[in-house]
Amino acid sequence: QVQLVESGGGVVQPGRSLRLSCVASGFTFSTYGMHWVRQAPGKGLEWVAGIWYDGSNKYYADSVKGRFTISRDNSKKTLSLQMNSVRAEDTAVYYCARDLAGIFVFDIWGQGTTVTVSS
Amino acid sequence: QSALTQPPSASGSPGQSVTISCTGTSSDVGDYNYVSWYQQHPGKAPKLMIYEVTKRPSGVPDRFSGSKSGNTASLTVSGLQAEDEADYYCTSYAGSNHVVFGGGTKVTVL
């Protein structure tokens, strides 16, 4: 079935780096845009970054621009988020999500991976 | 881009209807017909319920409907059921390849 599985979360110190991954299955990964969306503890959802189906264009929320990098490997059906210079406010559950039709509609979500930034 | 404004809570009895508003600006909700709604149960991933203001993905009951007027979009849940108790989030495309979320509305079935 159509599925997204995130991994890579954990506890990281402020200022350090972490890399999240999301493996897709059950659909043609290379034909869909993909996104990362996060949710801080007890808070609402926040879009983080998005990438075109072929990786040619990438977009970031102002809160992470210059620190996070989204990428994808279509041969491995994998979406990644490289998180550098992390801050306490980056603590959240990070979800990867499929874009229905390139219009920022998230029709398939993973189960999420938790990132905690703490010293 | 600022977050969209949603009421923090809404409630209704089983069988009744509840409507959740989502207020943005002329730069997001008012400018694009790309408003979506997501349902999230505690500890679970969000689920797409409505997209492009009024469209329902396959499998979403027709009790869920969306609309928009000016800078405000709305989600209506008719015939409330116990399983509809959840948090609901709206989103809108905001131009420049950005999307904004609402703060979320907790729906309680009384």
Side-chain angles (χ1 to χ4, degrees), chain A residues 1-19:
Chain A
Q1 74 278 23
V2 176
Q3 194 173 8
L4 296 170
V5 179
E6 302 96 335
S7 62
V11 180
V12 58
Q13 294 180 328
R16 303 298 290 259
S17 299
L18 196 66
R19 187 176 183 87

Side-chain angles (χ1 to χ4, degrees), chain A residues 37 39 43-47 59-62 65 95 100 103-107 109-111, chain B residues 1 34 36 38 40 44-48 51-52 89 91 93 96-99 101-103:
Chain A
V37 177
Q39 186 169 35
K43 302 297 185 181
L45 299 167
E46 179 190 16
W47 174 76
Y59 310 105
Y60 300 93
D62 290 344
K65 194 176 300 182
Y95 296 99
L100 176 62
I103 53 174
F104 287 75
V105 174
F106 313 126
D107 67 332
W109 296 67
Q111 86 288 351
Chain B
Q1 292 88 352
Y34 291 140
S36 302
Y38 299 86
Q40 187 181 34
K44 300 295 186 181
K47 175 185 177 183
L48 178 65
Y51 67 101
E52 292 184 38
Y89 295 90
T91 70
Y93 182 67
S96 302
N97 292 294
H98 279 64
V99 64
F101 276 90

Side-chain angles (χ1 to χ4, degrees), chain A residues 26-47:
Chain A
F27 66 98
T28 306
F29 180 72
S30 61
T31 64
Y32 287 89
M34 297 294 297
H35 300 265
W36 288 97
V37 177
R38 68 184 181 184
Q39 186 169 35
K43 302 297 185 181
L45 299 167
E46 179 190 16
W47 174 76

Side-chain angles (χ1 to χ4, degrees), chain A:
Chain A
Q1 74 278 23
V2 176
Q3 194 173 8
L4 296 170
V5 179
E6 302 96 335
S7 62
V11 180
V12 58
Q13 294 180 328
R16 303 298 290 259
S17 299
L18 196 66
R19 187 176 183 87
L20 307 183
S21 296
C22 169
V23 177
S25 60
F27 66 98
T28 306
F29 180 72
S30 61
T31 64
Y32 287 89
M34 297 294 297
H35 300 265
W36 288 97
V37 177
R38 68 184 181 184
Q39 186 169 35
K43 302 297 185 181
L45 299 167
E46 179 190 16
W47 174 76
V48 174
I51 186 169
W52 274 25
Y53 68 100
D54 60 357
S56 61
N57 286 284
K58 306 174 184 182
Y59 310 105
Y60 300 93
D62 290 344
S63 57
V64 306
K65 194 176 300 182
R67 300 187 299 121
F68 291 9
T69 301
I70 189 172
S71 61
R72 63 190 297 160
D73 184 336
N74 285 344
S75 67
K76 296 181 178 179
K77 301 181 181 181
T78 300
L79 176 74
S80 298
L81 185 69
Q82 178 67 40
M83 305 169 61
N84 296 334
S85 304
V86 297
R87 306 166 179 167
E89 54 264 36
D90 296 322
T91 294
V93 175
Y94 284 74
Y95 296 99
C96 67
R98 187 179 82 170
D99 193 321
L100 176 62
I103 53 174
F104 287 75
V105 174
F106 313 126
D107 67 332
I108 302 295
W109 296 67
Q111 86 288 351
T113 187
T114 301
V115 173
T116 302
V117 181
S118 173
S119 55

